[in-house]
C-alpha cells in the first residue's frame, strides 16, 4: 500500500509518500518563515501560505518518490486539532486529490500522529505512557493500543512549547523559541533564578505554565541589563524548572500506574519539545530508575510532519481502508472518540 499524506495543522506544510513496509519514498516539509517577525504563528498568514505551497511540494514529493499518481492507494490528511483555516486547506486538497484518483480518503487526528510516531522506530509494548509535548498541547496519555487512548492529564493554560516560545519572545530571541532557549541555556546558570513550578507537587497529572511566564516577565521588567549572560541564565533556569515539573509528573504517573496495577515498559516523549536534549536526558534517568525505557520518534517525526500522519494512517488501516470523504476538519478534534 502506498499512502500520500498531508499535514497542514499549523505552520508546517508537509507532504509524505510512505509505503506500508515503512519505507518513506519522499518527504517534503516547508516551514513557513513569515511568522518569525511576529514572534508567533498568525493563523491567516499560515493558511494562505499552505494554499500557495501545498500543490508545489506535492508535485515535488511525487517526482522525488519515483511513483506515478496512479500508484497511490490511499490519500490521508490531518483533520484536527489545529488552526481551522490551515486544516481546511490541507484536508480539502487531499480530499480533492483522492476524488481525482478515485482512491479512499482517510482523516487522521494530529495528536494521534504524534502519539503513534514513536512506534515507527521502536518496538514498543502496549500499554505505554506518552508525554505529548508540543506548541499547542501538553498531555499525558496511557496508550492502550492503536485507537484506544486514555488522557491522564493536560495543561490548564499554556502548552509547554508555547511557554518556550513566549519566554523566548520576552528575552528577544527568535521564533520558534524552543531550540534557541535550549542552545543558549548551555552557557547559563540554571540555579540563578528560582522560578515557580505550578502544580508540580499536586498529585494529579495536570500542568500549568502561565505562572512561570508571568514571573519571568516581572523579572525582565525589573532588570535593566538584559544582556546575553542574563538571557542564558534565564533560559537555563526556565528549562530547569520546566524539566523539574515534567520529572515530578513522571513520578506521579508511575505511582498512578502502580496503584492501578498497570505495568508499562516504555515511556514516550513525542512532539516538537521532545527534540530538547536536556529534557530528554534528565527524563531518561528517571525512566530507567523505574526499569523502563524512554522512546522517542526519529528526529524528522518530532516537529510537525506528514510522515507521522502517513504512518498513523498505515497503522490504523493495516487490514481494511475505510474511506471517509465526508469527515469535517475540526479545530478541536479529540482522539478519545467523544467528538461532537
Ligand atoms: O510538535 P510541534 O512541531 O507543533 C505543534 O504540534 O505544536 O511543536 C512545536 C513546538 C514549538 O513551540 C517549539 O518552540 C518547540 O516545539 N520546540 C522545542 C525544541 N524544538 C522545538 N522546545 C524546546 N526545545 C527544543 N529543542
Ligand atoms: Zn504537532
Amino acid at each position: 500500500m502506498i499512502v500520500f499524506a498531508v499535514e497542514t495543522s499549523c505552520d508546517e506544510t508537509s507532504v509524505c509518500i510512505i509505503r506500508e513496509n515503512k519505507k518513506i519514498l519522499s518527504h517534503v516539509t516547508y516551514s513557513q518563515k513569515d511568522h518569525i517577525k511576529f514572534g508567533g504563528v498568525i493563523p491567516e498568514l499560515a493558511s494562505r501560505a499552505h494554499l500557495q505551497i501545498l500543490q508545489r511540494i506535492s508535485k515535488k514529493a511525487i517526482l522525488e518518490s519515483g511513483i506515478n499518481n496512479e500508484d497511490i492507494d490511499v490519500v490521508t490528511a490531518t483533520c484536527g486539532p489545529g488552526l481551522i483555516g490551515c486544516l481546511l486547506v490541507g484536508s480539502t486538497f487531499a480530499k480533492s486529490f483522492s476524488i481525482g484518483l478515485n482512491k479512499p480518503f482517510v482523516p487522521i487526528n494530529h495528536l494521534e500522529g504524534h502519539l503513534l510516531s514513536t512506534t515507527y522506530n521502536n518496538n514498543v509494548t502496549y500499554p505505554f505512557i506518552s508525554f505529548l509535548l508540543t506548541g499547542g498541547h501538553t498531555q499525558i496519555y496511557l496508550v492502550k493500543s492503536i485507537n484506544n487512548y486514555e488522557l491522564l492529564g493536560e495543561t490548564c493554560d499554556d502548552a509547554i512549547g508555547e511557554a518556550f516560545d513566549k519566554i523566548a519572545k520576552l528575552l528577544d530571541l527568535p521564533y520558534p523559541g524552543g531550540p534557541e532557549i535550549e542552545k543558549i541555556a548551555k552557557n547559563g546558570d540554571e540555579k540563578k533564578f528560582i522560578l515557580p513550578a505550578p502544580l508540580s507537587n499536586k498529585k494529579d497529572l495536570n500542568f500549568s505554565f502561565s505562572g512561570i511566564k508571568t514571573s519571568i516577565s516581572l523579572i525582565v521588567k525589573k532588570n535593566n541589563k538584559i544582556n546575553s549572560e542574563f538571557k542564558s541564565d534565564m533560559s537555563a533556569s526556565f528549562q530547569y524548572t520546566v524539566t523539574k515539573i515534567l520529572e515530578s509528573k513522571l513520578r506521579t504517573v508511575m505511582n498512578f500506574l502502580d496503584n492501578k496495577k498497570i505495568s508499562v515498559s516504555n515511556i514516550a516523549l513525542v512532539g516538537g519539545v521532545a527534540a530538547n536534549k536536556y529534557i530528554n536526558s534528565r527524563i531518561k534517568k528517571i525512566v530507567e530508575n523505574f526499569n523502563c525505557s524512554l522512546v522517542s520518534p526519529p528526529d524528522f517525526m518530532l516537529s510537525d510532519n506528514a510522515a507521522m500522519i502517513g504512518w498513523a494512517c498505515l497503522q490504523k488501516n493495516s487490514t481494511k481502508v475505510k474511506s471517509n470523504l465526508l469527515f469535517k476538519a475540526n479545530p478541536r478534534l479529540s482522539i478519545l472518540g467523544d467528538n461532537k
Side-chain angles (χ1 to χ4, degrees), residues 110 114 134 304 308:
H110 182 78
H114 278 302
T134 76
D304 289 349
M308 71 180 187

Side-chain angles (χ1 to χ4, degrees), residues 7 9-12 110-111 114 132-137 159-165 175-183 239 270-277 279 301-305 308:
E7 157 62 41
S9 64
C10 191
D11 58 341
E12 247 81 39
H110 182 78
L111 303 181
H114 278 302
L132 194 153
L133 310 174
T134 76
H137 292 84
I160 185 167
E162 187 183 358
F164 268 94
D165 295 337
Y175 174 86
E180 287 298 320
I181 287 187
E182 181 178 12
K183 192 165 84 194
Q239 192 174 244
V270 301
V273 181
N276 186 298
K277 300 258 182 326
I279 294 179
M301 277 198 192
L302 284 168
S303 282
D304 289 349
N305 65 89
M308 71 180 187

Side-chain angles (χ1 to χ4, degrees), residues 30-310:
Y30 176 83
S31 296
Q32 302 174 7
K33 303 281 181 290
D34 290 354
H35 311 286
I36 294 174
K37 57 179 175 288
F38 300 103
V41 178
I42 309 294
E44 181 59 26
L45 287 184
S47 42
R48 285 182 197 204
H50 289 308
L51 206 53
Q52 279 170 355
I53 300 153
L54 191 49
Q55 215 168 341
R56 211 179 325 144
I57 66 167
S58 297
K59 282 185 184 156
K60 188 167 188 270
I62 290 172
L63 204 68
E64 284 179 8
S65 70
I67 63 162
N68 297 313
N69 286 358
E70 306 75 60
D71 300 326
I72 294 167
D73 299 298
V74 180
V75 182
T76 184
T78 303
C79 285
L83 300 169
I84 186 62
C86 298
L87 294 167
L88 280 171
V89 173
S91 61
T92 309
F93 172 81
K95 285 175 184 176
S96 317
F97 193 32
S98 87
I99 294 170
L101 294 173
N102 199 19
K103 296 290 164 66
F105 170 78
V106 175
I108 291 288
N109 184 305
H110 182 78
L111 303 181
E112 201 167 14
H114 278 302
L115 284 183
L116 297 179
S117 62
T118 196
T119 65
Y120 180 79
N121 57 332
N122 298 287
N123 262 331
V124 295
T125 39
Y126 293 92
F128 67 90
I129 289 291
S130 192
F131 280 70
L132 194 153
L133 310 174
T134 76
H137 292 84
T138 304
Q139 298 178 317
I140 306 174
Y141 283 97
L142 177 64
V143 182
K144 297 175 180 170
S145 63
I146 296 168
N147 296 327
N148 190 355
Y149 313 99
E150 184 179 342
L151 180 64
L152 303 180
E154 64 184 329
T155 184
C156 309
D157 40 56
D158 291 351
I160 185 167
E162 187 183 358
F164 268 94
D165 295 337
K166 286 180 174 169
I167 303 307
K169 200 170 176 184
L170 286 173
L171 298 177
D172 214 11
L173 298 170
Y175 174 86
E180 287 298 320
I181 287 187
E182 181 178 12
K183 192 165 84 194
I184 67 166
K186 289 196 181 100
N187 311 316
D189 172 4
E190 61 185 24
K191 303 279 170 59
K192 178 84 182 191
F193 299 101
I194 310 296
L195 302 171
L199 303 189
S200 62
N201 291 324
K202 272 198 103 183
K203 290 295 162 225
D204 68 27
L205 289 165
N206 293 326
F207 299 88
S208 167
F209 295 106
S210 68
I212 311 177
K213 180 189 62 194
T214 310
S215 167
I216 294 178
S217 153
L218 292 173
I219 300 172
V220 168
K221 272 190 198 133
K222 269 197 224 141
N223 210 300
N224 44 19
K225 247 191 9 212
I226 311 294
N227 54 20
S228 61
E229 188 187 342
F230 176 91
K231 291 184 188 185
S232 292
D233 288 342
M234 185 55 89
S235 294
S237 303
F238 167 69
Q239 192 174 244
Y240 169 79
T241 307
V242 160
T243 310
K244 237 174 48 183
I245 296 173
L246 292 172
E247 287 173 336
S248 113
K249 293 300 166 184
L250 173 57
R251 291 197 185 91
T252 310
V253 169
M254 298 317 279
N255 203 17
F256 164 86
L257 294 176
D258 201 38
N259 288 340
K260 296 245 170 197
K261 308 242 176 311
I262 300 169
S263 137
V264 299
S265 22
N266 298 118
I267 310 293
L269 294 184
V270 301
V273 181
N276 186 298
K277 300 258 182 326
Y278 174 90
I279 294 179
N280 205 289
S281 70
R282 291 251 319 249
I283 294 291
K284 189 165 194 263
K285 284 194 192 120
I286 300 187
V287 167
E288 286 172 355
N289 282 343
F290 283 103
N291 285 327
C292 293
S293 61
L294 184 69
V295 290
S296 271
D299 288 352
F300 66 89
M301 277 198 192
L302 284 168
S303 282
D304 289 349
N305 65 89
M308 71 180 187
I309 303 303

